[in-house]
Amino acid sequence: MSAHHLKDLFLLDPSITFLNFGSFGACPKPVFEDYQRWQLELEREPVQFITKTGYRYLQESREALGAYIGCKADDVVFVMNPSYAVNIIAKSLDLKPGDEVLTTNIEYGACDKTWNYYCEKKGARYIRQNISLPLTTEQQFVDDFFKGCTPRTKLIFISHITSATALRLPVDAICAEARKRGIMTFVDGAHAPGQVPLNMTALDADIYTGACHKWMMAPKGCSFLYVKGEHQHLFDPLIISWGFQSPMPSHSLFLDYHQLQGTRDFSAFLTIPKAIEFMQQHQWESVAADCRQLVQTYAPRFCALMNTQALCPIDDQFLVQLFSIPINTTKPEALQQHLFDHYRIEIPVTRQDDRTFIRYSINGFNTAEDLEKLYVAMEEMKGEGWMV
Ligand SMILES: Cc1ncc(COP(=O)(O)O)c(C=O)c1O
């Protein structure tokens, strides 16, 4: 199916050049209809749905997700977003004064905040290990990263695909080395499901969170937290509710604790089988491969236009369906707004500490014309002095 035809399968405003799939994804029509079907079923018999049938549907959805990400259905629970999952772990993790959580200096800002908050409360240290950019090889990255490891390192927290810088990090190698050193690992895979194949068992991270509403294209508010069986007892739910000393316990305390969260609409969680079916029906793996190709074809041109250096080699090693073009600007917010208001291009200007980027995301409905349009806009804006 051509990119133009694929765009018809989404609800996106056709007048906008949508180059920001990375922020909140976008839901295809069949998946969104499935979502509304669940909501209708809920409203027709809320009591049965919220207390009985819904849990059976949740089980089916977890089974589909487990098969998709390579883990047992009972080792994964749905959460609203990755921030929620990070908060569950950071709040409960048994950190003593002086303990350290090792991370990189290119993590998502909100997650840095969560870890700073809980580390400060517990007297622990959150170590943002400096990563030299541009990245060169995976080995170089692993070596740089483990320079931050000490005998006090209790947990490694690392993005699978970074947000502002859009880099796929070698989390397999990081988890393997951490295992050798006996350090627990938590991978923030907000951008990974749907963009890279996942297998929890093979990766063998202790904890993993992923957003299903980004590249898996589920409706907003659908993400997951995976915790290896042996660690599940370590993490309290953020909301203590009927799952604690449950009058009707299931076979798993992990599920009781994290699924019973008071009255809520969990319809988004139930769309996972449909989202997976959508990807299979449209050969999404080959769609994604075409997208990666498009990302890489344009990356050097944009860097040349901005007179900047890419953050990694332009190949499959670190790049997936996003690319962050380094730019020099003094007005990042206004620049993003101008791209939208004047050119109708939806694209984020991202920041990591003192560096600024324009980050394009490519999904099946994007075309070379979209990137040409961005190129022309950036060329004009450069001429007008928006970037130097
Ligand atoms: C790497 C990374 N981690 C975590 C998150 C948090 O997602 P949310 O704000 O939906 O919880 C994001 C959001 O884009 C992200 O890019």
Side-chain angles (χ1 to χ4, degrees), residues 57-184:
Y57 301 143
L58 270 177
Q59 166 81 21
E60 287 164 10
S61 200
R62 281 188 295 99
E63 276 164 12
L65 181 65
Y68 184 71
I69 63 169
C71 70
K72 286 192 268 175
D74 287 354
D75 289 344
V76 71
V77 282
F78 287 111
V79 292
M80 191 128 71
N81 50 52
S83 299
Y84 195 99
V86 175
N87 273 267
I88 291 176
I89 304 303
K91 188 172 180 190
S92 282
L93 190 71
D94 182 23
L95 290 172
K96 302 271 188 289
D99 284 349
E100 293 171 1
V101 172
L102 175 62
T103 192
T104 72
N105 63 337
I106 48 174
E107 297 302 317
Y108 187 63
C111 297
D112 281 340
K113 282 183 185 289
T114 307
W115 284 111
N116 277 326
Y117 179 87
Y118 283 108
C119 283
E120 204 179 303
K121 239 179 150 64
K122 299 176 192 190
R125 294 177 67 215
Y126 184 56
I127 309 290
R128 294 175 72 227
Q129 178 60 18
N130 193 53
I131 300 297
S132 332
L133 296 173
L135 299 180
T136 51
T137 63
E138 293 193 349
Q139 192 55 52
Q140 179 66 49
F141 177 89
V142 175
D143 292 346
D144 269 2
F145 182 70
F146 276 97
K147 283 185 193 138
C149 189
T150 76
R152 303 305 305 259
T153 306
K154 287 285 152 350
L155 177 93
I156 283 171
F157 175 73
I158 187 164
S159 287
H160 199 159
I161 298 167
T162 61
S163 176
T165 48
L167 297 164
R168 184 203 4 211
L169 302 182
V171 292
D172 294 80
I174 296 287
C175 289
E177 181 59 30
R179 253 190 325 277
K180 276 195 222 152
R181 299 178 186 223
I183 300 169
M184 199 185 246

Side-chain angles (χ1 to χ4, degrees), residues 82-332:
S83 299
Y84 195 99
V86 175
N87 273 267
I88 291 176
I89 304 303
K91 188 172 180 190
S92 282
L93 190 71
D94 182 23
L95 290 172
K96 302 271 188 289
D99 284 349
E100 293 171 1
V101 172
L102 175 62
T103 192
T104 72
N105 63 337
I106 48 174
E107 297 302 317
Y108 187 63
C111 297
D112 281 340
K113 282 183 185 289
T114 307
W115 284 111
N116 277 326
Y117 179 87
Y118 283 108
C119 283
E120 204 179 303
K121 239 179 150 64
K122 299 176 192 190
R125 294 177 67 215
Y126 184 56
I127 309 290
R128 294 175 72 227
Q129 178 60 18
N130 193 53
I131 300 297
S132 332
L133 296 173
L135 299 180
T136 51
T137 63
E138 293 193 349
Q139 192 55 52
Q140 179 66 49
F141 177 89
V142 175
D143 292 346
D144 269 2
F145 182 70
F146 276 97
K147 283 185 193 138
C149 189
T150 76
R152 303 305 305 259
T153 306
K154 287 285 152 350
L155 177 93
I156 283 171
F157 175 73
I158 187 164
S159 287
H160 199 159
I161 298 167
T162 61
S163 176
T165 48
L167 297 164
R168 184 203 4 211
L169 302 182
V171 292
D172 294 80
I174 296 287
C175 289
E177 181 59 30
R179 253 190 325 277
K180 276 195 222 152
R181 299 178 186 223
I183 300 169
M184 199 185 246
T185 46
F186 180 5
V187 177
D188 171 4
H191 284 279
Q195 213 181 158
V196 293
L198 286 181
N199 187 315
M200 292 299 121
T201 312
L203 176 64
D204 204 17
D206 295 291
I207 309 161
Y208 193 104
T209 182
C212 305
H213 52 228
K214 290 188 194 274
W215 299 87
M216 266 182 94
M217 301 177 284
K220 312 294 168 271
C222 182
S223 300
F224 69 84
L225 169 66
Y226 158 88
V227 181
K228 217 191 250 186
E230 70 209 68
H231 303 312
Q232 288 169 6
H233 68 283
L234 299 175
F235 302 108
D236 294 336
L238 283 186
I239 305 292
I240 306 293
S241 181
W242 290 106
F244 173 61
Q245 297 178 346
S246 168
M248 284 183 297
S250 75
H251 59 288
S252 157
L253 200 59
F254 180 63
L255 296 182
D256 290 347
Y257 271 15
H258 296 280
Q259 282 195 161
L260 294 170
Q261 299 273 304
T263 308
R264 59 181 176 152
D265 175 3
F266 47 80
S267 304
F269 300 163
L270 306 181
T271 62
I272 288 298
K274 192 72 184 178
I276 293 171
E277 181 191 300
F278 179 86
M279 289 190 283
Q280 285 167 347
Q281 200 179 353
H282 296 285
Q283 285 95 39
W284 219 250
E285 276 182 24
S286 109
V287 168
D290 291 345
C291 293
R292 290 195 296 272
Q293 191 57 54
L294 189 55
V295 164
Q296 292 179 26
T297 305
Y298 275 82
R301 278 188 65 196
F302 279 109
C303 290
L305 176 66
M306 290 294 107
N307 210 8
T308 52
Q309 191 183 8
L311 298 177
C312 66
I314 308 296
D315 57 28
D316 290 332
Q317 200 181 186
F318 298 110
L319 289 178
V320 262
Q321 286 172 247
L322 306 137
F323 184 72
S324 285
I325 312 159
I327 59 167
N328 293 308
T329 181
T330 51
K331 37 192 171 184

